[in-house]
Amino acid sequence: MGAELESVRVFWQLSLWGLDISITSAVLVLWSAVLIIFVISFLAVHRPKIVPGKLQGLIEIINEFWEEQTKDLFGEQSNYWLPFVLAIFMFVLVCNLLGMVPGVYPINSNINTTATLAVVVFLAYHFAGIKNLGFKGYLKSLMPEDVPLILWPLMFLLEITSHLARPFSLAVRLFANMTAGAVVGFTILSFIFVFKSYWLAGFPLFGKVTVSLFEVFIAFVQAYVFAYLSALYIGVAIEKHS
C-alpha cells in the first residue's frame, strides 16, 4: 500500500467553536476521492451516446451490475436506493485504490473513516424502515411476533444489539482488511534491511509487488462487500416494512 503505516499530517490547523477541523492528509484524500468520482461520473454521462464510449460504457456496466445485484432487495424502490449503493461502492473503491498510491494516506486503514461510513449505512437502513412504516410502526416491528410479554425486554435488547453489531462489523471488516495489506507490505519490505544484501533484495521486492497486486483485488472485493451488505440491510428493512 502506498503510505504504509503513515500517520496523519496536518497541513492547515483550524478550529471552529473548539472543534478541530484542520486540513490534514486524511481530509485531502477524502476530498480527492469525491472529486475523482464526480469528474469520472460527469465525463461519462454529460454527453451520453447511443453507442457508449469506454468511460460511459464502464459506468453503465457498474450501474447494470448493481442493478442486477439489488433488484430483488429493493424491488420497486430500486431507483430510490440504487444511487446510494453506487455511491458507497465507488467511494470505498476509490479510497481503497488511492491508499495504494505511494505517498497517499490510506484513508480506509483509519477506523474513523470506516466507522463513519458504517454509521451512514446504519442511519440509511433505519430511515428506510421508518419511511415505509412510520416511526412508531418501526419501533413495534423490532419486536418479533408472538413473543410473550414477559420476554419483551430481553428480545428488544437482543434486537438492538444485533442492529448495533451491523455497523461495527462493517467498520471493522473494511478497516482490518485494508490495514492488513499495509502491514504485510511493510513487513515484506523490511526484510531488505534484515538481509542487507543486494542479491537477496529482489525477493522482498517481488513479494511486495505480489502483495500489491493482491491488494488491488482486495480493494474491489471489500468495496463490493461493504456496498452489498449496505444494500442487504436496506433491502431487509424495505421487505420487512413493505
Side-chain angles (χ1 to χ4, degrees), residues 8-185:
V8 178
R9 297 194 299 269
V10 178
F11 296 106
W12 191 6
Q13 191 76 40
L14 294 173
S15 63
L16 179 64
W17 300 319
L19 182 65
D20 186 7
I21 56 170
S22 301
I23 307 302
T24 66
S25 55
V27 173
L28 292 180
V29 173
L30 291 174
W31 288 355
S32 299
V34 173
L35 181 61
I36 289 172
I37 295 170
F38 173 80
V39 171
I40 291 176
S41 301
F42 177 78
L43 293 177
V45 302
H46 81 293
R47 291 182 179 177
K49 300 177 181 178
I50 298 177
V51 180
K54 293 181 180 179
L55 190 57
Q56 180 184 339
L58 176 62
I59 296 300
E60 289 182 358
I61 289 174
I62 295 175
N63 183 81
E64 290 174 0
F65 171 80
W66 279 108
E67 187 175 15
E68 181 68 23
Q69 291 287 305
T70 60
K71 65 179 182 180
D72 293 333
L73 296 175
F74 296 156
E76 296 179 354
Q77 298 191 37
S78 180
N79 291 336
Y80 188 91
W81 288 107
L82 182 59
F84 175 79
V85 175
L86 282 172
I88 289 289
F89 172 75
M90 293 296 295
F91 182 77
V92 174
L93 177 61
V94 171
C95 286
N96 287 348
L97 295 178
L98 282 176
M100 300 181 63
V101 177
V104 176
Y105 180 76
I107 191 66
N108 281 343
S109 294
N110 187 323
I111 190 62
N112 295 309
T113 305
T114 60
T116 301
L117 287 172
V119 169
V120 170
V121 174
F122 178 81
L123 296 176
Y125 83 77
H126 281 299
F127 171 78
I130 295 173
K131 178 176 177 291
N132 281 269
L133 200 62
F135 184 74
K136 291 183 179 180
Y138 181 70
L139 287 179
K140 184 179 179 181
S141 71
L142 295 178
M143 185 61 57
E145 298 180 359
D146 301 325
V147 174
L149 183 62
I150 193 174
L151 295 178
W152 278 24
L154 176 60
M155 296 304 298
F156 188 79
L157 179 62
L158 292 175
E159 188 73 15
I160 293 298
T161 302
S162 69
H163 281 279
L164 292 177
R166 292 177 180 180
F168 177 80
S169 64
L170 281 176
V172 172
R173 182 186 294 105
L174 180 58
F175 162 76
N177 278 278
M178 301 316 299
T179 301
V183 173
V184 171

